[in-house]
Amino acid sequence: MTDGGTGAGDAESPDDGVFAPDSERVETLREIADDVRGETSESKQLSNILYRTSDLYDEAEDTSPEEIVRNVKFILEVTERGGLGR
């Protein structure tokens, strides 16, 4: 399936599930993450999720969507429990 030459479908091929490196996408996601980070735990969580998502497109990172989902679930569980403290 093609995207008509717009480049919109270049980052991920539905057939192989691989996310191609895209430094512009990494930069955009990380800028948004920095913008939404605030003092509330919710804004910090959202920022962390966006930053982890950007790792999919970062050539220097070795991660998968499954790893990111596991990481996000862990972040939410820790927050629900009130932190890492025992």
Side-chain angles (χ1 to χ4, degrees):
M1 176 183 224
T2 64
D3 63 9
T6 64
D10 293 343
E12 177 186 3
S13 169
D15 295 331
D16 60 17
V18 174
F19 292 81
D22 185 338
S23 60
E24 186 176 328
R25 186 170 287 182
V26 170
E27 182 178 334
T28 300
L29 285 167
R30 291 179 181 176
E31 285 176 1
I32 294 168
D34 290 340
D35 286 344
V36 300
R37 181 176 291 279
E39 296 302 316
T40 67
S41 63
E42 292 85 0
S43 67
K44 290 175 184 175
Q45 287 174 355
L46 179 56
S47 179
N48 289 338
I49 291 167
L50 288 168
Y51 204 92
R52 287 293 292 145
T53 301
S54 75
D55 289 347
L56 285 172
Y57 304 98
D58 189 340
E59 193 169 26
E61 296 291 334
D62 183 26
T63 192
S64 70
E66 293 81 11
E67 289 173 303
I68 291 172
V69 168
R70 282 192 303 270
N71 186 254
V72 168
K73 285 181 179 180
F74 177 74
I75 290 168
L76 296 174
E77 288 170 2
V78 166
T79 301
E80 187 175 299
R81 288 192 316 255
L84 290 172
R86 292 172 169 58

